Amino acid sequence: MAFSRRWILFLVLLQFRPGFAYQLKQLYWDMNVIELSYTQHQIEKPLKEAMALWNAVPCNAFKLRIQQNSHHHVSIKKRGDWPHEPNALGMTIYTYIGVPAFIENIQIEINHAGRPWSATDYRNVLAHELGHALGLDHSADENSIMNAFGRLGLGDRELSADDIAGVCALAPQKRQGKGSGLKQTRTSHETGCQQTKASTDYALFAALMLILRAVVGRRAKPRRYVDAA
């Protein structure tokens, strides 16, 4: 019976274990220079600094830069203008075409919503959203800029080893030519950064680990080889 209980708890733990760290979005660029425009002046310096974080990675195949006539755009949304999840700090909206999916347009939106944003806050959230723009999904690494959960009021964040490994796994792709079976469909998709302190999955995983340890500790008695390891 003790063996069965331990295996039941182990199987439950498997359902809540943290996933792989960085994830790729399976959305592709057919160029290696990605240009973005902005309108609000307070974005300029944080955007340049956030771009510099990703551009400084030696194995990054892409370069981010500001170009004011680009249709890829970064903007701050005020209270009442934010159409997304209220708890989100930022959102990246993609428009893509074809199978495989090539990115046609990127819109990065920051949720000001009356919060006391600093230049560092803009930099950190923009760094996260630029990772999405490059093609990265969320990371299970809590130290990663690409982790889905963040908060304001932190110091300058740097790319983690996981962020660097993720961007180095990306590269521009060549579009298929006419007659190659490319399905011409346009779809929009959005992803962003949620304002919270920790991932629920990690908290639940830690709690279940403590339960498992307590159960195994109670069942392991002297003169019985409960766990041979």
Side-chain angles (χ1 to χ4, degrees):
M1 181 62 70
F3 177 84
S4 299
R5 287 179 180 175
R6 286 199 301 276
W7 273 101
I8 289 171
L9 283 168
F10 176 72
L11 292 172
V12 171
L13 284 171
L14 284 178
Q15 300 305 311
F16 295 99
R17 70 192 187 281
F20 293 107
Y22 72 82
Q23 301 289 322
L24 306 182
K25 294 198 71 65
Q26 306 305 312
L27 299 174
Y28 305 100
W29 290 98
D30 61 353
M31 61 189 74
N32 64 351
V33 177
I34 303 170
E35 299 175 333
L36 295 104
S37 60
Y38 66 92
T39 49
Q40 292 105 326
H41 66 87
Q42 64 264 48
I43 288 181
E44 180 180 6
K45 186 173 182 289
L47 180 58
K48 287 180 178 178
E49 292 179 355
M51 287 180 167
L53 280 178
W54 293 106
N55 288 341
V57 178
C59 55
N60 182 5
F62 298 96
K63 291 300 175 187
L64 296 159
R65 70 185 186 192
I66 293 173
Q67 177 58 257
Q68 287 298 67
N69 63 359
S70 173
H71 62 281
H72 307 302
H73 193 68
V74 183
S75 61
I76 299 171
K77 297 296 183 181
K78 303 294 185 181
R79 189 187 301 275
D81 293 333
W82 181 255
H84 313 292
E85 166 63 40
N87 197 43
L89 295 171
M91 194 70 67
T92 300
I93 301 99
Y94 306 81
T95 300
Y96 53 91
I97 185 172
V99 179
F102 282 90
I103 298 169
E104 286 205 323
N105 184 261
I106 289 287
Q107 298 293 311
I108 295 176
E109 298 179 353
I110 303 299
N111 182 16
H112 192 278
R115 295 185 176 98
W117 286 74
S118 68
T120 299
D121 293 328
Y122 284 125
R123 171 194 179 276
N124 292 341
V125 175
L126 284 168
H128 176 96
E129 300 305 331
L130 288 174
H132 287 317
L134 288 167
L136 291 176
D137 209 329
H138 288 133
S139 169
D141 182 354
E142 292 186 337
N143 296 315
S144 170
I145 277 181
M146 294 313 299
N147 188 267
F149 303 95
R151 56 191 174 92
L152 305 181
L154 301 175
D156 287 346
R157 298 193 62 196
E158 302 299 327
L159 299 182
S160 69
D162 186 65
D163 295 318
I164 293 170
V167 76
C168 291
L170 299 170
Q173 302 294 315
K174 185 176 180 180
R175 295 199 190 213
Q176 301 173 10
K178 291 184 177 180
S180 62
L182 180 66
K183 184 180 179 182
Q184 297 294 314
T185 57
R186 283 181 170 81
T187 312
S188 292
H189 173 72
E190 59 184 40
T191 187
C193 178
Q194 297 287 323
Q195 185 181 27
T196 187
K197 292 184 178 180
S199 166
T200 302
D201 281 357
Y202 273 98
L204 187 54
F205 179 77
L208 289 172
M209 283 295 292
L210 290 173
I211 293 171
L212 178 60
R213 182 177 179 181
V215 170
V216 172
R218 285 200 303 268
R219 300 299 301 182
K221 297 179 180 179
R223 297 184 300 278
R224 289 188 60 195
Y225 294 94
V226 177
D227 293 307

